[in-house]
Every structure is written in C-alpha cells, then in structure tokens.
Amino acid sequence: MFKVVIPARFASSRLPGKPLLDIGGKPMVIQVASQAAKSQAGEVVIATDHEPVMQVASQYGILSVMTRADHPSGTDRIAEVVQNMGWPDETIVVNVQGDEPLIDPVLINEVAQALAKDTQAVMATACHPFHDAVAFENPNIVKVVLNAKGQALYFSRAQIPYPRDAEYRTDLTAYRHIGIYAYRVSFLKQYASLPATTLEKVESLEQLRVLYHGYQIAVTITAHAPASGVDTAEDLAAVREIFTSSVHSL
C-alpha cells in the first residue's frame, strides 16, 4: 500500500491561485485528489503553503498538510510532509502534480509498483514511446534513456538517443518522460541534503540530482500517458472543455 502526496503551491507566475481554479465545478486540486483516490493508494494528502487550500481540502474531506512557502521543488515539499507525518522508511510515496486533474489512476499504480519491484531503486517514474518526430525534437519535452534493468541512464531536453546514422532514424525507439514520481520515505529524508548539481541546473531537471549522486531511478513504460496538465490559461480552457464534455456525455 502506498501514499499519494499532491504538492499544491498557491503562487504561480502564469496562473495565480492555480490550485483553487474551478474545473468542472470543483477546485482543480480537488479534482486531482479525486483521481488519486481512484488509485490503490492507502492515503491521499494535499501539501500546500496556503490556508484557503487547506480549508477547501477540509470541505471535501481530504487530508491536507501546511508546508513552508520557500521549497524549491515539489520533492522538497513532499519531504517536509513525510517528516511531519512520521511515515516509516519503507513507505512508498507517489508525487502527483497538483495541476493534472486528468491524471490516470492506473499510471499512479504503475509508478508505485515499479518502485516496489526494484529494490535497488530509490525512486520510480514513467515514460512512453514517442510517435512524433516533431515532439522528439522539442526541448520542452523531456526524454529518458534506460538501461537493461529498466532504470534511467539519463534524462535530457535534447534528443536522446541521438540517431547519428540515417539507418537508425526510422526504427529508433525513444521515450518521452512523464513527470510523475514515486519515492521511498528513507530516500526523501536524504534528498534535501543532496547538493544541487550543474547538470540539474543546465537542463532544469531536478531528477538529474538523483542520478548524479549515484542513485537508481526505476522507469515504467506505460500505455497510460497523462492528458494535458494545466500550466497556462489555454491549458485551463482545454481541460475545462474536457470536463464539460464528460458531464454532457453521461
């Protein structure tokens, strides 16, 4: 049995107050928590830095924890939650982003199971194959390459593996990284003390800190790629339309 923690930072440069924006008649963070509750998680917790988010969570009967406002990443926020909750070291915690109200519960289960199966790994994440050459070339889309054990060798915004010779360009299998993570509590307690690295800063990918310091990250290849998250006003309009369409189709 694993836990889900949903980091819900209130401030957002592109969408202020993002966790509380209405989607389908409920605040976005509540829609995320509802999806997470459909997974096999034994507990779902919202981690926020804003009292109104806690109040909304309480209204919907969802456990929430107040965290500091100065965390540099969602992982650091989850590490504070782990300390506050006193969960045992062997507990698996899945980080479900607070701006993904369409997250598939099956994907949450898959990431937790990938970490449970790989005793060498301290973290797990997910990927799925690229089917679009334009997306593979897009630096805003993160790629991952795997070793024979299904663990991450490297993450990058660049094209990896890069098909130098034309003969490999048509049959190359490349993987798009999906930003969902599972952690062991014992590792979360160590994470904050790991120094940030140049690789992490250059690529703007915090998971590279984990690889740089010699830890393993298990990667599940999934068919359950998440639908669009909400980063911009355009994303918000698109997700609202999906929810409206779903209600009308019932």
Side-chain angles (χ1 to χ4, degrees):
M1 190 87 54
F2 59 91
K3 317 281 189 182
V4 166
V5 177
I6 303 170
R9 187 172 66 91
F10 189 76
S12 171
S13 57
R14 287 183 285 187
L15 282 176
K18 185 160 64 168
L20 299 182
L21 294 175
D22 182 88
I23 293 180
K26 295 180 182 179
M28 177 161 55
V29 70
I30 300 302
Q31 294 287 15
V32 177
S34 296
Q35 287 297 100
K38 297 175 186 175
S39 74
Q40 296 169 356
E43 194 169 13
V44 175
V45 180
I46 294 172
T48 187
D49 56 1
H50 196 63
E51 184 64 36
V53 174
M54 292 193 70
Q55 292 171 1
V56 164
S58 177
Q59 290 171 14
Y60 285 89
I62 300 168
L63 180 63
S64 63
V65 175
M66 181 63 73
T67 57
R68 301 198 322 265
D70 61 349
H71 285 301
S73 72
T75 304
D76 292 287
R77 193 173 305 281
I78 290 174
E80 183 183 350
V81 172
V82 163
Q83 294 284 7
N84 291 342
M85 299 296 287
W87 290 331
D89 283 355
E90 65 275 10
T91 303
I92 290 174
V93 179
V94 179
N95 174 355
V96 175
Q97 300 295 329
D99 57 6
E100 294 197 7
L102 300 174
I103 188 74
D104 190 333
V106 175
L107 176 60
I108 298 172
N109 294 337
E110 288 177 342
V111 173
Q113 290 163 5
L115 184 53
K117 291 176 182 177
D118 190 339
T119 57
Q120 294 181 327
V122 297
M123 280 176 58
T125 188
C127 70
H128 67 95
F130 277 101
H131 300 294
D132 181 346
V134 174
F136 184 49
E137 295 169 2
N138 186 343
N140 294 317
I141 297 175
V142 179
K143 297 85 181 174
V144 60
V145 291
L146 313 180
N147 65 15
K149 298 178 181 179
Q151 299 168 338
L153 283 171
Y154 192 64
F155 298 86
S156 182
R157 298 182 182 280
Q159 298 175 56
I160 54 171
Y162 182 79
R164 188 194 71 170
D165 299 322
E167 64 184 290
Y168 295 113
R169 290 174 189 163
T170 56
D171 60 359
L172 172 70
T173 299
Y175 293 104
R176 176 175 184 162
H177 176 234
I178 301 170
I180 182 172
Y181 300 97
Y183 315 85
R184 298 188 198 282
V185 164
S186 56
F187 176 69
L188 280 169
K189 291 177 179 178
Q190 302 173 43
Y191 178 82
S193 65
L194 294 178
T197 70
T198 301
L199 286 178
E200 171 188 2
K201 295 174 183 176
V202 167
E203 294 257 24
S204 190
L205 298 173
E206 66 175 284
Q207 64 268 37
L208 291 177
R209 185 189 312 183
V210 180
L211 294 182
Y212 180 86
H213 289 289
Y215 295 96
Q216 283 79 47
I217 300 176
V219 184
T220 182
I221 301 172
T222 182
H224 299 275
S228 297
V230 179
D231 288 318
T232 65
E234 291 77 15
D235 295 336
L236 179 62
V239 171
R240 281 174 169 168
E241 178 61 29
I242 291 171
F243 271 82
T244 300
S245 301
S246 298
V247 170
H248 289 166
S249 67
L250 294 176

